[in-house]
Structures are given as structure tokens and as C-alpha cells.
Amino acid sequence: MRNFSSVNVDASPPREEVVYLGLNNLSDNPGAIKKGRRVGRGIGSSKGKTCGRGHKGQKARAGGGVSPLFEGGQTKFYKRIPKRGFKNAHEEPMTPVNVGTIQDYIDMGRLIVPDADGEPLTMKDLVDAGVMKNGSIKHGVKLLAKGKERLRTPIQIEVSRASADAIKAIEGVGGEITTVHYNKLALRALLKPEKFDIIPKRALPKPQLMQYYTDYDKRGYLSPEIQLREVQKKLAASSETSDDKE
């Protein structure tokens, strides 16, 4: 009698073959793509001569068909309901930016704050820092007050518009804000100066905007208080340069 105790019998199930995904075996799942019916291929295909469209009529023509809004000739629903409001063709929507966002970019080191005697931050600086994209600014930037509790860096900034809370937040930490008007040409010259051989002079606001930019509560750059502040800065800078020369 033979002794089978020493014979090794592998009772484990066969291993599953692993197939790695590659460009040579990349394909859709079975049934994912269904071929469209080819019409007009004879009566044996059941969609022969008239291709299932029947004889003549609006729906049998190429490009023909009834509009989904057609209601058999009665007045359409969208014409029966009342209309409200209008689209203002003269609106100039501003791109919003919050003071909290500016503080975040300052903390990240992406927005460099100039010295108190230096030039103020402009929309160009915000674009270069990545706060917003160049193409997103169509008419200007409006400064809003979201995140004002995080603002702690005194900054000098020039924007197109600013809310009252944003002005209060900027000046509350020792900063300065000025709202400046930019028409389309001046805005393009500010954001893309490399497109110009000579930077054009900035135009005055339109008459309907003059009230905004001459109002000190809005910190308009044409208000007497803001213009006096700029004159004082220039006199102080000129006196410092004269002292340095002496």
C-alpha cells in the first residue's frame, strides 16, 4: 500500500489574473456605446424610404419640426405672463474684493504693502498678487467689508468704489483709502501698461458720477479734503528732499 501522507496537494483556488490598465487595453464598458440606426437603407430595415417620418408635412422635412413652445396657435405662455423690470444697458458692475481677503494675501506674503511715503496699492497690485484675474475687471473694483475683524495692517489703497464699512475698517487700523475713477482706456492703461508707448491721461468722471467722486464720505479723489491731503503729502516730500540736499 502506498503512503500518500507525504504528497503535497495545493487545495487553494487559482489566483486571479491581474490586468493593468494601459492605452492598449483602454476601452468603454460593454454596452456603453450604442450604434445609431441607419435609416433609408431599404424596406427590409423597417426604416426605408421615408425613414420613419411618414409622408410629407412639417415634421417630415429636413430641419423641420414644431417648436416646443408652440401651443396650437393660441398665445404662447411666455407672452401671456406679465413682464417685470428691465436690463440696464448703462450699468457698470464692479468686481468685489473684501478687506479680509487683502489681509490674507498680506499674511501669505503675496501682497507687499509699501511704506507710508510710497505709492498706494492699486488694482494692478491686486491683480499681480493673484487676488483677482485681469480679465475679471470690466469697470473697476469695489472694496467690501467682509472679514474686517481680521484686518490689522494699515494700508493705503486706491479702488473704484468702497462701502462705508470698508472705509471705516481701513481707517480704523490707520490706513488710507481713496476712490478713483477709471474709464475703459485708463483702466486698460493701469492693468496693462506694456500695451502703451505713452500712458494716456486719466479722464474725469461722467457728470452722473461726479457727485460720487467729489463726496468725502465716499473718499472721492476729487473731494476738497482728499486733494488737500495729497497737496500736503507732496509738500512734505519736497521739504524732506530739500533737507537731504542741505
Side-chain angles (χ1 to χ4, degrees):
M1 180 180 290
R2 294 183 179 181
N3 186 7
F4 295 97
S5 61
S6 62
V7 179
N8 294 328
V9 179
D10 189 3
S12 60
R15 294 182 178 180
E16 182 181 0
E17 183 180 359
V18 179
V19 179
Y20 293 98
L21 183 64
L23 293 177
N24 60 328
N25 57 6
L26 185 65
S27 63
D28 292 306
N29 295 326
I33 296 178
K34 182 179 179 181
K35 291 184 178 180
R37 177 183 285 274
R38 300 175 70 217
V39 297
R41 297 301 186 273
I43 59 177
S45 66
S46 77
K47 290 291 183 288
K49 183 172 70 76
T50 54
C51 306
R53 289 173 173 257
H55 289 280
K56 300 183 181 179
Q58 183 181 9
K59 293 191 289 185
R61 312 301 183 187
V66 182
S67 169
L69 302 178
F70 185 66
E71 300 184 22
Q74 71 178 10
T75 304
K76 299 176 183 179
F77 177 72
Y78 74 88
K79 288 188 176 183
R80 296 197 303 265
I81 59 176
K83 309 299 187 293
R84 298 284 188 270
F86 68 101
K87 175 67 175 178
N88 186 5
H90 305 288
E91 67 176 351
E92 297 180 353
M94 297 287 166
T95 303
V97 62
N98 293 290
V99 294
T101 303
I102 294 178
Q103 182 62 57
D104 293 339
Y105 276 78
I106 293 174
D107 295 340
M108 288 188 290
R110 297 177 62 177
L111 183 60
I112 306 302
V113 180
D115 298 333
D117 299 334
E119 295 293 328
L121 294 174
T122 62
M123 291 180 280
K124 173 67 173 174
D125 298 318
L126 300 181
V127 170
D128 293 341
V131 179
M132 62 192 68
K133 292 183 178 180
N134 202 341
S136 65
I137 305 177
K138 301 299 182 183
H139 300 281
V141 172
K142 182 171 183 178
L143 190 64
L144 303 177
K146 185 177 180 181
K148 60 182 179 181
E149 63 278 356
R150 303 198 307 272
L151 184 65
R152 60 183 181 278
T153 304
I155 59 174
Q156 300 180 31
I157 188 170
E158 287 185 356
V159 289
S160 301
R161 308 279 177 85
S163 66
D165 290 340
I167 294 174
K168 186 177 180 181
I170 293 290
E171 295 179 348
V173 295
E176 291 181 357
I177 182 171
T178 307
T179 56
V180 181
H181 172 70
Y182 289 93
N183 59 355
K184 287 190 175 182
L185 180 62
L187 187 61
R188 188 167 185 265
L190 174 68
L191 299 177
K192 298 180 179 180
E194 67 278 1
K195 300 286 186 180
F196 295 84
D197 295 331
I198 300 176
I199 300 299
K201 186 178 179 181
R202 192 167 57 198
L204 289 174
K206 295 182 289 187
Q208 54 266 36
L209 297 176
M210 189 64 73
Q211 183 177 1
Y212 184 94
Y213 291 105
T214 55
D215 188 0
Y216 179 71
D217 293 336
K218 310 292 185 182
R219 299 303 185 266
Y221 74 113
L222 296 178
S223 63
E225 294 85 352
I226 297 296
Q227 291 187 340
L228 178 61
R229 186 180 70 186
E230 297 300 324
V231 170
Q232 291 174 348
K233 285 184 179 181
K234 291 180 180 180
L235 292 176
S238 62
S239 62
E240 289 179 0
T241 54
S242 61
D243 293 340
D244 294 338
K245 290 180 181 180
E246 293 176 359

